[in-house]
Amino acid sequence: LNARSPLNISSTSIFNGNDNDSSSNIGMSTLKDQGTQRWLESRQGKTTHGSKLSNPHFRQDATRQESEVTLIQELQHGHKWPVSSICLSPDPAGNFLATASLDVRLWETTTGRLRVVLDAHSGLVRVVAFSFDGKYLFSGSDDNSVKIWDLSVCLAVSAVKPGMTLTPPGSASSRFPFCPPAPLPATVRPLDSSKLLRKVGFSHKYAGRTLKSGSAMDFDVLSGIRGGRPSMAFHSLTDLSSSTPSVSSSAPPPSSCNDPLRRVIHKTLSRHAAAVLAVSVSHDNRHLASGGADKTARIWDVSSGYCIQTLRGHSSEVTAVALSDDASLLITGSKDRMISQWDVASGSCLRTLMGHRGVVSGLAWAPGGGWFVSAGFDGSVRAWDPEAQVQLYALPAHQGAFGTLCVAISEDGNAIISGGYDRAVRIWDAKTGALRAEMTGHKNMIVHVSVSKDCRTIASVARDDAVRIWAWKGGAKVEGE
């Protein structure tokens, strides 16, 4: 562990023997790190119930303060590919859950009912996140883009048929990743596809099959429909053809049609040169941060879709991002094992924090922005003071090849939730370091966790394709109780 950390925890199953300090319980009187002392003082009186944050002693073998955690729902999500990310809605109880795979699905957490399927990415959706006002849903994908979904429109359109799939005109989809659905008006007279294919002379793969010059298939090149399916050949082939479709003068152009499907996506952000692996939304819902496999992080204006900053400095993929509460600071984690802190306004790197011995897989700010936690493939969950540039403590949270894969902090700042390769989801007390609860039952590594604002609902997803929703009775109290 970092030598500047006030706690040195020995865990030979996860860490090697470079840290030889056998004392893991260090009293406040022996704390020599001024940054840690400032952090402890700054946390006094900032917790929900006015309690003070004491020096965290992570006691792996200490008596656990058990809290009741009950499995209330296991979603039959219907995704045809493993679920890569989940996110609970920002309302206090987390009444909706978004799941990401080849498409994005929105669920009711209490009933498990599927509300709508959002399908407009041509690659695996790596991450989803709600805006704090619940207006937008952000999805980042292997197609190098982030899509901003307008949830009010999505839910209104799907109200007539809950569970329906929404694919905006002109967008790709998981079913037809290279074929934007851009059908012509009904008054368009299609041409003979076989004649046009012979004239143009091309070979193009479509839905696993190759269309060769002169082939006579049930394929309408102009409308881009083969057996009712869209094709990417629509725009390019009509320009090459000497024959043009006849369109009635009374028919409005497609762009002017008042189609609600055109409004389900607010903006598409497409400046990354490789897959988008992480996103984070500011509390005022004005800015979005994204991290990509192109080794960059980007800051976006949500309203206009404009890229405000491009942040370069990591030597490998940016795997985690987190914006501070006031959106003035951004922290990024990477496969290069580094955590960088950026000034959002200037785009400059303020400092780089080192300590993880593997990929940095997750980041989360504590309420108030005085400290943050990181998760890594080395199995640890680490807390940092960004101003003092020191590691506050480290917890050997999970074991296995990929260690800790995800981390979250409760809204009251009193609990840290982590998931790892050892198939367990654990809740840690941020004040004492005690293991408050452990959720087991997944049959493969945990890839993502999410906690509701009232800290009473936790969602987890693992590589066993199970999406589970848990009720945690040890969470924050609701006002009036």
Side-chain angles (χ1 to χ4, degrees), residues 56-307:
H57 302 284
F58 290 115
R59 298 161 297 173
Q60 193 80 356
D61 300 323
T63 303
R64 299 176 180 178
Q65 176 188 345
E66 296 292 349
S67 300
E68 292 188 34
V69 180
T70 306
L71 178 64
I72 59 175
Q73 193 75 240
E74 183 167 345
L75 297 180
Q76 303 298 320
H77 54 76
H79 286 291
K80 297 181 180 179
W81 200 258
V83 178
S84 54
S85 178
I86 56 175
C87 186
L88 285 166
S89 58
D91 55 285
N95 290 318
F96 289 94
L97 176 71
T99 61
S101 182
L102 292 178
D103 52 33
V104 178
R105 304 191 175 204
L106 196 61
W107 308 82
E108 293 178 354
T109 55
T110 54
T111 64
R113 185 168 68 119
L114 177 64
R115 289 296 301 272
V116 64
V117 179
L118 309 176
D119 191 4
H121 284 288
S122 60
L124 177 67
V125 181
R126 295 280 185 165
V127 61
V128 287
F130 286 94
S131 62
F132 282 84
D133 59 4
K135 182 179 180 180
Y136 296 124
L137 179 67
F138 305 88
S139 57
S141 169
D142 279 356
D143 62 9
N144 309 350
S145 73
V146 177
K147 294 194 182 293
I148 307 177
W149 300 86
D150 191 320
L151 289 179
S152 61
V153 177
C154 294
L155 292 175
V157 172
S158 64
V160 295
K161 184 182 178 182
M164 70 182 298
T165 300
L166 304 183
T167 300
S171 296
S173 70
S174 62
R175 294 174 297 170
F176 312 105
F178 304 107
C179 308
L184 292 175
T187 52
V188 173
R189 176 175 55 82
L191 298 181
D192 186 340
S193 63
S194 60
K195 293 180 180 179
L196 185 56
L197 289 173
R198 283 195 297 270
K199 184 167 185 175
V200 174
F202 78 114
S203 178
H204 176 64
K205 287 188 176 182
Y206 176 81
R209 303 179 66 178
T210 301
L211 307 181
K212 296 183 179 179
S213 177
S215 62
M217 300 176 61
D218 180 19
F219 182 79
D220 185 346
V221 179
L222 290 179
S223 63
I225 302 296
R226 175 186 178 277
R229 304 303 189 191
S231 167
M232 67 179 294
F234 169 69
H235 294 291
S236 58
L237 294 185
T238 53
D239 293 338
L240 294 174
S241 173
S242 60
S243 302
T244 57
S246 59
V247 182
S248 172
S249 59
S250 61
S255 60
S256 65
C257 295
N258 188 22
D259 185 354
L261 283 178
R262 296 183 183 275
R263 303 196 303 272
V264 298
I265 293 181
H266 169 64
K267 295 289 181 181
T268 298
L269 315 178
S270 305
R271 293 286 297 276
H272 279 284
V276 178
L277 306 177
V279 297
S280 177
V281 192
S282 64
H283 280 238
D284 61 7
N285 307 298
R286 295 176 55 192
H287 297 100
L288 175 77
S290 61
D294 57 0
K295 308 177 186 179
T296 69
R298 295 177 185 267
I299 308 294
W300 309 83
D301 180 82
V302 172
S303 178
S304 65
Y306 180 73
C307 182

Side-chain angles (χ1 to χ4, degrees), residues 383-445:
W384 305 84
D385 181 344
E387 182 178 354
Q389 306 182 46
V390 295
Q391 177 181 283
L392 300 169
Y393 56 81
L395 163 68
H398 297 273
Q399 300 182 10
F402 299 116
T404 308
L405 286 94
C406 50
V407 68
I409 298 180
S410 63
E411 186 70 12
D412 58 11
N414 292 330
I416 300 171
I417 300 94
S418 64
Y421 187 82
D422 54 11
R423 308 177 185 180
V425 178
R426 296 189 174 102
I427 305 173
W428 308 92
D429 193 312
K431 304 174 188 178
T432 65
L435 182 59
R436 299 176 61 175
E438 182 177 83
M439 292 162 278
T440 59
H442 283 289
K443 299 178 181 178
N444 209 321
M445 58 183 177

Side-chain angles (χ1 to χ4, degrees), residues 21-35:
D21 189 350
S22 61
S23 176
S24 62
N25 293 330
I26 303 177
M28 288 294 295
S29 60
T30 63
L31 285 176
K32 298 180 180 179
D33 195 305
Q34 295 180 356

